[in-house]
Amino acid sequence: MINTETSIKCRRQAFPQAGLCCVFSGVPPLVAASGLRPGPDRPPPGFDGCIHKVRINGEMQDLTFRTGPAVLVGCHSCSVCTAGACREGGQTGVTCSCPPGRMGALCDETAASDPCQNIRCVHGTCVATAQAYSCRCSDGYQGLSCDRPACSCAHGECRTSESGVLVCHCEPGFTGPACNTELRCQGETLREQLKRHQAMRTCTSTSRVPRVACPRSCQAAAPPGVCCGVTKTRRRKVAFRCTDGSSYSEELETALECGCGRCPL
């Protein structure tokens, strides 16, 4: 008959170590064929773990007919982990701690790829979206990899272009990527007598009056809508003598400097 003490011990032991063998001795052949099968009067095995190399009367037993979700056929050693760290324990006798990119009980399956795995956001954080990614830039940076400083406009406003790039929109009179280049237009200095045509007489200034004549256009780098105009003036009193022998004085505002600005409407 079955050695009861050995039978109970083998059914309840958890077999945590690889290679542990459960041996039944002194079991008749007829019992060997059915001794491990569950039946109405014999509940499923009471241990939780793995079991292998079960022999009855020296004959290796086929455990494929066993029932019970807590019982696994075959115990493994730590050499079975395809990758990662291994420790003893668990249903199969070992537990595998998988490295990134691997999954499964034995780390033998490839995990779903991480879109951010090989992406470097220089000044930002990578954000995975399905199979794509995007870089969330830190303040002051822009670009697909957050590797370019955001626009800093000395004399203008930073705006997003149609292509999604931040660019400077300069104030009138300035140009350049950072709006730090002042547009200039060189005026021509003139000294000439002024004439006033009036009814029945013509009056001419008694001296040559200095003034600056501003050209119409600015530098070639000026954007559309920017023209050259008077930026600084001075008021002065000018004396006139007329053809009828009379004279008078008049206060005039004359141009001293030219600069670039919005074109007059």
Side-chain angles (χ1 to χ4, degrees), residues 152-156 168 170 173-183:
S152 177
C153 310
H155 299 277
C168 285
C170 302
F174 293 89
T175 187
C179 299
N180 56 359
T181 301
E182 185 176 3
L183 290 170

Side-chain angles (χ1 to χ4, degrees), residues 62 77 82 92 96 107 111 119 123-124 130 142 193 205:
D62 180 10
S77 67
T82 304
T92 61
C96 299
C107 302
I119 300 302
H123 297 285
Q142 64 175 339
Q193 286 184 309
S205 62

Side-chain angles (χ1 to χ4, degrees), residues 244-256:
D244 62 357
S246 62
S247 63
Y248 70 95
S249 62
E250 180 182 349
E251 193 173 70
L252 301 177
E253 190 169 11
T254 58
L256 292 181

Side-chain angles (χ1 to χ4, degrees), residues 103-248:
M103 60 184 296
L106 304 179
C107 302
D108 54 350
E109 301 176 26
T110 302
S113 59
D114 182 3
C116 286
Q117 186 172 0
N118 298 318
I119 300 302
R120 179 170 177 257
C121 298
V122 180
H123 297 285
T125 305
C126 183
V127 179
T129 55
Q131 297 301 315
Y133 79 93
S134 63
C135 285
R136 182 178 298 159
C137 299
S138 304
D139 291 342
Y141 292 93
Q142 64 175 339
L144 292 178
S145 300
C146 301
D147 56 344
R148 294 188 290 110
C151 61
S152 177
C153 310
H155 299 277
E157 181 181 7
C158 191
R159 301 178 187 174
T160 303
S161 66
E162 295 180 356
S163 58
V165 179
L166 294 174
V167 295
C168 285
H169 283 245
C170 302
E171 298 173 357
F174 293 89
T175 187
C179 299
N180 56 359
T181 301
E182 185 176 3
L183 290 170
R184 295 182 179 274
C185 55
Q186 187 66 41
E188 181 183 3
T189 302
L190 303 175
R191 297 180 67 89
E192 58 187 5
Q193 286 184 309
L194 303 180
K195 291 184 177 294
R196 295 287 187 266
H197 297 285
Q198 301 174 356
M200 306 299 291
R201 67 177 183 173
T202 299
C203 302
T204 306
S205 62
T206 58
S207 62
R208 294 181 180 273
V209 180
R211 68 182 181 89
V212 174
C214 299
R216 173 66 179 170
S217 61
C218 266
Q219 298 172 351
V226 175
C227 297
C228 183
V230 177
T231 57
K232 186 176 181 180
T233 61
R234 177 186 175 182
R235 297 187 70 85
R236 67 178 72 226
K237 186 175 287 187
V238 179
F240 288 87
R241 183 175 292 128
C242 304
T243 56
D244 62 357
S246 62
S247 63
Y248 70 95

